[in-house]
């Protein structure tokens, strides 16, 4: 992936889709991802979702 859509419209769409869902959410994260590091984005993940579990995979 070369680019991430960072427009406010897209961000609002994503946030709406991730919050207040009627089912449990679990995240699967590439532990070795050089661009989207879990250490950097985990707090945002927790704030934007009701994630109950995150799986870090060696990838």
């Amino acid at each position: 992936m070369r680019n991430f859509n960072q427009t406010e419209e897209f961000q609002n769409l994503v946030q709406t889709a991730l919050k207040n869902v009627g089912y449990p959410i679990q995240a699967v994260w590439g532990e070795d991802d050089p661009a989207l590091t879990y250490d950097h984005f985990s707090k945002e993940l927790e704030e934007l979702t009701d994630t109950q579990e995150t799986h870090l995979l060696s990838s």
Side-chain angles (χ1 to χ4, degrees):
M1 184 178 273
R2 293 178 187 255
N3 196 347
F4 293 97
N5 187 336
Q6 296 181 355
T7 64
E8 186 174 343
E9 179 183 6
F10 181 74
Q11 294 297 320
N12 289 336
L13 179 66
V14 170
Q15 290 176 18
T16 300
L18 294 176
K19 241 345 188 179
N20 301 318
V21 295
Y23 46 83
I25 295 176
Q26 67 178 0
V28 178
W29 203 280
E31 187 173 27
D32 304 318
D33 189 325
L36 301 173
T37 63
Y38 183 74
D39 289 341
H40 181 80
F41 289 100
S42 61
K43 188 167 200 94
E44 187 173 358
L45 175 68
E46 292 171 4
E47 290 173 0
L48 294 177
T49 68
D50 297 324
T51 302
Q52 297 175 3
E53 188 171 0
T54 301
H55 301 277
L56 296 175
L57 301 179
S58 179
S59 60

